Amino acid sequence: MTTLDATRREHVPSTPAAAGAAWHTAAAEELAAAGRWEQAYQHLRTAVRLLNGRSGVDELDRLRREHAEAREQSRRDSLTETYNRRYLDERLVALVREPGSVGPAGIAVALLDVDHFKQINDTYGHPFGDRVLQRIVAVIESCLPEGSFCARYGGEEFAIVLPGHDRHEAVRVCETARERVDGHPWPELAPGLRVTVSIGVAHGFGPVTGQDGLIASADRLLYAAKHSGRNAVAFHDAHTGLVRLAGPAAGRRSLPQAPVAAPDCLEGPSAP
């Protein structure tokens, strides 16, 4: 017997409006239990309208908006307004648990670090450093394709998540972000200022069985990018497993070879 059947048998509302409200409330409960939240809300909204008229619906809509706003704020970094570490962790878990959501191309996770950021803070002060981070986020997010997102990983380090993108596409997106940060008119903030970033790009081919493997691989590649001279994007060559640098940095000779990605992050044969 469903909740709707139980409602019909166990409750005999005194008015047609109450009967309708009871039915819609029971329907909302069943839909919510099945995870069909939007449909559940519509039934609940109808129940409130039957019992309390338009004023009740308006109040329910207001509460829903406030809840949605509060939930969104809890996902955002207060300084840069990009997503925060909490959202990153939750979203990555969801993505790697459902390989179908990233498609046959797999998923890429990149870690980006601002080069010599401590020196910027020491020279210009922390409020100025905050403005630099805000601009960097604006530049990064302007480069991201639909369905991707940026999140503050900690301090001056950010994560870029690219679901449904193969290795080649992910490296291209990250190299574009690096170029745009490097070419940004930083002297607008302070004469002579130049800001660059280093990025490590890890790619997982489904099924990906652990988000920690992607993060760890991206972190090792970020280390390689930093120690190759900074202002570079590092990734694993799909064929040799060796670390390579994208764009103009590709010709650098001093290139640390980070270990290949962890076993729980299966690498696919995508290019480059």
Side-chain angles (χ1 to χ4, degrees):
M1 182 186 298
T2 67
T3 304
L4 292 178
D5 294 332
T7 298
R8 295 189 188 101
R9 294 188 179 187
E10 297 176 10
H11 301 283
V12 183
S14 57
T15 66
W23 187 89
H24 282 289
T25 299
E29 290 175 352
E30 281 198 1
L31 290 165
R36 297 161 65 183
W37 303 108
E38 185 60 35
Q39 292 169 284
Y41 172 76
Q42 294 303 327
H43 278 284
L44 186 59
R45 193 171 186 270
T46 300
V48 171
R49 178 176 57 78
L50 289 170
L51 291 175
N52 300 305
R54 184 68 212 178
S55 62
V57 173
D58 290 343
E59 177 65 12
L60 184 63
D61 286 345
R62 182 186 67 79
L63 291 172
R64 188 191 190 202
R65 285 194 302 272
E66 290 181 354
H67 179 267
E69 290 170 1
R71 187 165 183 264
E72 183 65 14
Q73 289 175 1
S74 73
R75 295 171 161 185
R76 295 285 178 174
D77 174 59
S78 60
L79 173 65
T80 63
E81 296 185 356
T82 191
Y83 286 110
N84 57 23
R85 177 71 178 272
R86 174 184 176 183
Y87 177 80
L88 171 67
D89 292 343
E90 292 176 353
R91 187 75 182 112
L92 270 182
V93 167
L95 287 169
V96 301
R97 283 181 177 174
E98 299 180 13
S101 65
V102 302
I107 180 173
V109 175
L111 288 183
L112 176 153
D113 187 76
V114 184
D115 297 328
H116 302 297
F117 187 68
K118 183 179 184 301
Q119 183 177 331
I120 293 174
N121 275 338
D122 291 345
T123 302
Y124 300 100
H126 288 273
F128 184 91
D130 290 346
R131 293 171 62 194
V132 169
L133 293 181
Q134 290 166 345
R135 287 216 181 186
I136 286 174
V137 166
V139 172
I140 294 170
E141 292 186 337
S142 72
C143 305
L144 297 184
E146 184 178 356
S148 306
F149 68 91
C150 172
R152 192 176 185 186
Y153 192 67
E156 67 272 22
E157 200 166 346
F158 297 87
I160 298 171
V161 179
L162 299 152
H165 289 74
D166 64 27
R167 191 192 319 265
H168 177 76
E169 293 170 339
V171 170
R172 178 184 56 78
V173 169
C174 292
E175 175 62 11
T176 297
R178 183 204 63 77
E179 288 179 343
R180 290 190 184 179
V181 171
D182 190 13
H184 187 74
W186 295 108
E188 291 178 354
L189 292 182
L193 177 66
R194 184 190 180 196
V195 179
T196 63
V197 296
S198 298
I199 307 175
V201 185
H203 183 263
F205 233 121
V208 179
T209 58
Q211 72 278 7
D212 292 340
L214 282 168
I215 292 290
S217 181
D219 190 53
R220 289 190 292 267
L221 287 162
L222 172 61
Y223 174 89
K226 300 285 278 189
H227 286 266
S228 72
R230 296 183 170 84
N231 193 22
V233 174
F235 62 97
H236 280 299
D237 185 284
H239 305 291
T240 66
L242 296 176
V243 177
R244 290 176 55 189
L245 299 179
R252 295 179 187 175
R253 295 182 179 179
S254 177
L255 183 57
Q257 290 300 321
V260 177
D264 63 345
C265 173
L266 303 182
E267 296 277 350
S270 55

